Amino acid sequence: MPRPEEHLHDRLVQGDESALAEVYDCFVGLVHSVAMRVSGNRTAAEDIVQEVFVHLWERPYAFRPERGSLRGWLCLLAHRRAVDWVRAEQSRERRVEHACRTGDGAWVASAEDSVLAADEADRVRSALARLPAVQREAIELAYYAEITYREVALRLGVPEGTVKSRMRVGLRQLATLMEDPAARGAGGGTSGEGR
Amino acid sequence: MSEGHDRVPSVLAAWVLGVCEPAEDARVRAHLRGCADCRSEAERLRAGVPGRALNGGRPVPPPGLRARTLLAASAARTSRVPVGDYAACFANAVAMLDALLNEVMPDRDPATHRAIGDAGAVGERWDLPGVLAHLIATDGVLCAALGVPEAVPSAIAAGAGPGDPDGRRTAEVLARLREHTLAQARAIWNEQAVGLLRAARPAPAASEAARLADAYADRAFETWIHTGDLARLFGLRAVRPTRLDQLIAYGLRALGPMVADAPVSLVLTGSGGGRWVLPDAGHAPLATVTADAVEFCLLFGGRRTLASVRADIAGNAPAARAALAAAASLARL
């Protein structure tokens, strides 16, 4: 792995705040875009950006330069946090729906921050949401973070062939879903893990 | 043009997503020109990739987010104490160990909050309780010398008496910490180390400067070496001190007089390194020793032996080996 990132890691570990500022300036656009695309929510994306960089600062040893680039690690972190946010949001929405039906949900209308309301984005997100988690992760990291499949494999600790296969099975299913959003689970692609 | 067809279909999805290595990208492109099957498969997969079209109009992070993030970050770690440059290496080493402890003893881990005695302390000599007790004991020696309050005052005078005073002080601290949790031991170490940093005023009196530089480099050396022990124990990366130059200068001040009879040239490579003639530049060296700067410091720190240190020697071999042996003999950690 490249020496410059090891040196940057040395500085982060030794509490050099200017190293964190450098990392922020270099990767904030990417981290923000991953968070934004997965969550579709501006406020959530900003919170995720903050969490990701604070985590790097607080737990610098969690990043292992020998296991891939800082860029890849930050994207993976942003992706996971964003997926967690979406899940929490979905369960909140279910609670809200329930509250509406039971009559005490008057505050609901103002709660939604649908900044990225483009139909297309919603369609992509809802199609992605239907993929099995491992396929979704492989494709989203490629889509949004543009991390090579080799690095995704390295970071996740799985063989390259598995990542390629997840991407292929996932994309096929996504293609079907995008043509026909009603075709939930179509293509039988949910179990393909081998090559 | 069907060369390599077997390997292309498996990588096609990654290629469509644009996440192949450049060489692979070229190979796939070349293959697609001649293979209709793969071309149609690529088209099929591409239908699942509308995301690229969304890249236009990407929302940008607001400018205020930078300040907010950096502020939240500085609250998430013990903030740095401003110190005189001579103590920078110790400030770095304290931050390094603190970061490592954030990683290996998370607050939510029950082991962090169990009494050290109950947890069967001192499995390995340099495990968490052992290292914390040792640093509390040995930092305490400098505290006593500087008039900074000692966390666990000891009746055992530093460097005096028979046997190994540092070892006996460590055992004493460990015994007194038995009822404490790891988290408490960590806090005691940290508070005392920060006390030493606060005492490291930016501009010491000229008569004090050399003594203080050695004293703080000594604490930095020991803290860094034991952080390395813990990193090995927990499978974490060995971090290179950014002020290695200060640790080397400290080591060479001690080594110089020991090689007065057989002068050597020392070439330490990598950041923090340099070239020296020992005991001083006025001598004609009999031999040259070349090593990575960290490797040489590990010899000083007792984590390499004459047999295991990776060093190249040229010229008079006995003189070179005598210098390495002298460096190894300085280890007392």
Side-chain angles (χ1 to χ4, degrees):
Chain A
M1 276 296 117
R3 296 285 309 158
E5 290 213 337
E6 289 188 357
H7 182 58
L8 201 54
H9 186 241
D10 291 340
R11 290 167 60 208
L12 288 168
V13 165
Q14 290 169 75
D16 179 350
E17 293 189 359
S18 71
L20 181 66
E22 273 174 44
V23 175
Y24 181 93
D25 291 341
C26 206
F27 297 113
V28 65
L30 191 65
V31 169
H32 183 261
S33 119
V34 170
M36 191 66 209
R37 281 167 185 283
V38 176
S39 71
N41 181 294
R42 214 178 275 266
T43 313
E46 288 171 20
D47 288 347
I48 290 163
V49 165
Q50 181 170 327
E51 283 172 30
V52 164
F53 288 101
V54 169
H55 183 80
L56 173 68
W57 180 247
E58 190 178 12
R59 301 263 310 269
Y61 275 99
F63 163 59
R64 309 287 189 89
E66 71 279 12
R67 292 197 193 161
S69 69
L70 183 55
R71 166 199 163 93
W73 188 73
L74 292 171
C75 285
L76 198 66
L77 214 57
H79 182 261
R80 294 203 164 149
R81 303 251 165 161
V83 167
D84 286 347
W85 181 87
V86 170
R87 281 205 196 109
E89 188 68 0
Q90 281 164 349
S91 84
R92 195 186 66 85
E93 274 166 13
R94 277 195 295 275
R95 284 199 304 277
V96 168
E97 263 174 45
H98 179 74
C100 285
R101 281 197 300 274
T102 56
D104 60 348
W107 48 276
V108 170
S110 63
E112 267 326 289
D113 173 14
S114 54
V115 171
L116 211 109
D119 283 354
E120 178 76 346
D122 284 347
R123 240 154 52 81
V124 176
R125 256 199 310 281
S126 75
L128 277 167
R130 292 192 197 171
L131 295 183
V134 291
Q135 291 169 17
R136 178 181 175 182
E137 183 170 58
I139 289 179
E140 284 184 335
L141 286 171
Y143 256 176
Y144 301 148
E146 298 172 30
I147 301 174
T148 69
Y149 73 85
R150 284 204 177 132
E151 187 162 352
V152 172
L154 201 65
R155 277 282 164 217
L156 299 176
V158 299
E160 288 176 8
T162 305
V163 172
K164 286 192 284 193
S165 154
R166 284 175 187 175
M167 285 177 173
R168 187 169 45 164
V169 175
L171 269 193
R172 278 190 183 150
Q173 196 180 346
L174 214 46
T176 314
L177 286 166
M178 296 300 293
E179 276 164 19
D180 175 14
R184 178 186 300 262
T190 52
S191 58
E193 179 76 340
R195 307 190 52 166
Chain B
M1 273 295 217
S2 65
E3 182 259 333
H5 175 88
D6 288 351
R7 293 174 57 203
V8 168
S10 74
V11 82
L12 219 44
W15 180 79
V16 163
L17 284 164
V19 290
C20 284
E21 310 288 335
E24 216 161 20
D25 177 76
R27 191 166 62 77
V28 174
R29 281 175 198 283
H31 177 81
L32 287 181
R33 278 198 289 275
C35 180
D37 285 351
C38 284
R39 272 204 306 275
S40 71
E41 169 72 357
E43 276 317 302
R44 217 149 67 80
L45 292 172
R46 202 169 268 137
V49 194
R52 283 286 175 274
L54 295 173
N55 269 339
R58 160 189 297 192
V60 294
L65 186 55
R66 186 181 197 272
R68 178 151 67 88
T69 300
L70 296 180
L71 192 70
S74 57
R77 246 169 109 174
T78 319
S79 56
R80 276 176 80 99
V81 178
V83 294
D85 185 66
Y86 60 93
C89 53
F90 185 51
N92 289 349
V94 170
M96 193 192 291
L97 178 53
D98 198 51
L100 183 131
L101 297 176
N102 281 350
E103 191 64 28
V104 303
M105 42 179 287
D107 207 40
R108 61 179 182 281
D109 183 349
T112 303
H113 303 287
R114 209 173 294 147
I116 290 174
D118 296 347
V122 202
E124 294 216 22
R125 184 173 174 208
W126 299 128
D127 59 6
L128 283 169
V131 165
L132 290 171
H134 184 67
L135 292 178
I136 290 168
T138 51
D139 283 350
V141 176
L142 180 58
C143 286
L146 296 179
V148 173
E150 268 182 274
V152 183
S154 172
I156 301 167
D164 164 20
D166 284 351
R168 286 187 294 125
R169 285 176 74 111
T170 301
E172 187 185 25
V173 170
L174 203 49
R176 299 207 9 213
L177 290 181
R178 283 184 63 81
E179 306 298 318
H180 292 63
T181 67
L182 263 187
Q184 289 167 331
R186 174 191 182 169
I188 292 169
W189 160 74
N190 191 261
E191 196 182 325
Q192 180 175 257
V194 168
L196 280 177
L197 288 171
R198 286 195 206 290
R201 299 262 170 253
S207 59
E208 288 277 81
R211 189 176 69 93
L212 285 174
D214 274 356
Y216 278 94
D218 179 75
R219 299 323 309 144
F221 217 117
E222 184 142 28
T223 306
W224 167 60
I225 286 286
H226 290 303
T227 304
D229 292 341
L230 292 176
R232 253 192 321 282
L233 192 63
F234 289 97
L236 299 173
R237 178 172 171 260
V239 164
R240 191 178 180 99
T242 48
R243 292 307 305 270
L244 201 57
D245 60 316
Q246 294 185 322
L247 303 187
I248 290 169
Y250 167 60
L252 297 188
R253 281 194 290 274
L255 181 60
M258 299 173 75
V259 298
D261 295 335
V264 292
S265 167
L266 188 59
V267 180
L268 300 184
T269 58
S271 69
R275 294 169 164 272
W276 295 266
V277 173
L278 299 176
D280 59 60
H283 291 75
L286 303 177
T288 300
V289 174
T290 306
D292 176 77
V294 165
E295 185 75 6
F296 200 76
C297 284
L298 290 172
L299 187 64
F300 277 134
R303 296 302 180 269
R304 293 286 185 276
T305 62
L306 198 51
S308 70
V309 69
R310 282 169 298 165
D312 292 323
I313 57 180
N316 183 314
R321 274 198 286 274
L324 287 170
S329 76
L330 287 167
R332 55 165 189 79
L333 303 177

